[in-house]
Amino acid sequence: MAKGKSSTVFFCQSCGYESSKWMGQCPGCKEWNSFVEETVSRAPHMGAPSPKSGGRSAALSSSVPSLLKDISIKEEDKLSTGIGELDRVLGGGIVQGSLTLVGGDPGIGKSTLLLQVCRNLSGGGHKVLYISGEESLTQIKMRADRIGTFTKEMLLLCETSLSEISEIIRSQKPEAVVIDSIQTMYNEDVSAAPGSVSQVRESTGVLLQLAKGLGVSVLIVGHVTKEGTVAGPRVLEHMVDTVLYFEGDRHASYRILRGVKNRFGSTNEIGVFEMREQGLMEVQNASEYMLEGRPEDASGSVVACTMEGTRPLLVEIQALVCHSNFGIPRRQATGTDFNRVNLLMAVLEKRSGVQLASCDAYVNITGGIKISEPAIDLGIVLAILSSFRNRPISPKLLAFGEVGLSGEVRSVSMARQRAAEAAKLGFEICIVPFVCAEDCRKVGGIEVIGVKTVQDAIDRILSR
């Protein structure tokens, strides 16, 4: 049999674009200096099926289409992880035959969370296989002893060869498989180093076929780059069914798990965890947790409400405005869009006459969460004004609403749920858009003030 030819190609590390020569800018994603050189082997007869794929080709040729009305969905098609916050992000649990990617900074808790998932699944009678390419069996055992007791349904394997892993999965027939991590897996059919663009792409393809063909739920850990994205080609995120990202500082106790892609549920849900000695513990009341340690009677502090999927989440917005000693004032935003903060400061200066052109401004969303929803606009505006005038706003006051360029306060979705969350946590005053005020008053137990413009909100608050 003729051997395959080896050739040198260049791959874009961002999107996986393949080229026969090096290019400074990728034609696919327009990134600069992202091409890396790799050696790949190609079969001499591309049209003929290889011996390894012959069985798969025969199986595919016998496939027949099914009627949509004849396909039934059962509740047991989803495996509950035993962790409520994770199930919320996943859309109710792990779908059988799905491929899930978990990314995050080093040491943030990816392996710990998946090991806890394995413990809960094995405790429920599900056969689970944990495959590690980074740690030894002893290291995994030490971490497992800290988390809790595991049953005999929990299997461990230290292996990086995809061919060996595929055979073990087919012979053991587990219900769930954890791969830690995809960057350490090695496919013998690809003559490139582990962690390279082609290796990550082809290894994920093999795992995808195993998940769909055998009905095994596969969860893979992905390393991230310094920009915070999963290392390897962007096509990796397109191949999997679900992409979960850990947010937050690994040196802090809190962790936020966000679903950025989910074929089986919402992509707006988040899960809040706290890192403890026993592992990651879910935070039941995320709003109360986010507001812990809030200062009393301090200027520049306002509580706003944002929606993460179906969950209202109260967050504290802090602003610090001071006179600048330089010709160009410094502006900084943490947890929200920097350009949005500049826009809101321009609205304040133009529509309300607040002179901020010569002031430094720092805006921070506490709790390590990142918010892009425009419903926190009104809270940012009030926090900036409070710091500028050095006048504290009542700690029992909450504000939400989108601010337009004309200074108007526009309506937001699910206003009643936001007001209900504020009332549940003991807030007494709620500043809302005027068009949402009537609906929010149905909540009861909280004073609702509807405002039409930013100036209207300023007058209502400063008159108290």
Side-chain angles (χ1 to χ4, degrees), residues 14-271:
S14 298
C15 67
Y17 186 90
E18 181 178 341
S19 174
S20 59
K21 61 181 181 179
W22 186 88
M23 289 185 287
Q25 186 184 36
C26 174
C29 62
K30 307 302 179 183
E31 287 287 331
W32 287 93
N33 300 321
S34 60
F35 276 90
V36 292
E37 181 181 6
E38 293 182 8
T39 303
V40 297
S41 299
R42 302 185 186 275
H45 302 290
M46 301 300 292
S50 64
K52 293 185 178 181
S53 63
R56 186 167 64 251
S57 301
L60 290 175
S61 63
S62 62
S63 300
V64 293
S66 302
L67 291 173
L68 181 63
K69 65 177 183 178
D70 296 337
I71 302 174
S72 61
I73 300 177
K74 300 178 182 179
E75 220 30 67
E76 53 265 25
D77 288 341
K78 288 188 176 182
L79 297 175
S80 175
T81 63
I83 304 175
E85 292 292 298
L86 179 57
D87 285 343
R88 173 197 289 270
V89 178
L90 289 171
I94 304 174
V95 177
Q96 294 184 6
S98 64
L99 185 62
T100 303
L101 172 65
V102 182
D105 294 332
I108 203 168
K110 303 183 297 295
S111 301
T112 300
L113 178 65
L114 293 181
L115 199 58
Q116 290 179 242
V117 171
C118 292
R119 174 180 177 271
N120 295 339
L121 290 177
S122 61
H126 302 288
K127 194 172 184 179
V128 181
L129 175 61
Y130 188 98
I131 303 172
S132 176
E134 301 177 343
E135 297 178 294
S136 65
L137 295 177
T138 304
Q139 291 174 315
I140 300 173
K141 174 65 175 176
M142 293 171 61
R143 185 151 44 87
D145 289 341
R146 190 179 74 247
I147 293 174
T149 305
F150 287 73
T151 66
K152 62 180 181 180
E153 301 295 333
M154 175 70 178
L155 302 176
L156 294 179
L157 175 67
C158 290
E159 183 61 65
T160 58
S161 173
L162 254 297
S163 59
E164 295 289 339
I165 291 173
S166 300
E167 292 300 323
I168 292 175
I169 292 176
R170 289 191 176 94
S171 62
Q172 295 292 333
K173 294 181 174 61
E175 295 183 59
V177 176
V178 174
I179 306 293
D180 187 9
S181 65
I182 189 63
Q183 277 80 16
T184 61
M185 297 296 110
Y186 181 76
N187 190 347
E188 291 84 352
D189 296 336
V190 181
S191 56
S196 61
V197 174
S198 53
Q199 277 288 359
V200 170
R201 181 179 57 195
E202 296 301 325
S203 299
T204 305
V206 172
L207 295 174
L208 181 62
Q209 292 174 357
L210 288 173
K212 304 303 180 185
L214 303 177
V216 179
S217 301
V218 180
L219 298 97
I220 59 179
V221 174
H223 295 164
V224 297
T225 62
K226 61 182 180 180
E227 289 82 15
T229 58
V230 175
R234 193 70 178 181
V235 71
L236 172 62
E237 298 188 20
H238 296 294
M239 294 174 67
V240 301
D241 298 307
T242 306
V243 180
L244 307 180
Y245 272 109
F246 263 115
E247 297 177 359
D249 187 356
R250 67 188 182 97
H251 300 292
S253 62
Y254 52 79
R255 304 286 190 274
I256 296 171
L257 184 67
R258 185 185 299 274
V260 296
K261 175 187 176 182
N262 192 351
R263 289 175 178 161
F264 314 110
S266 172
T267 57
N268 296 320
E269 299 288 354
I270 66 167

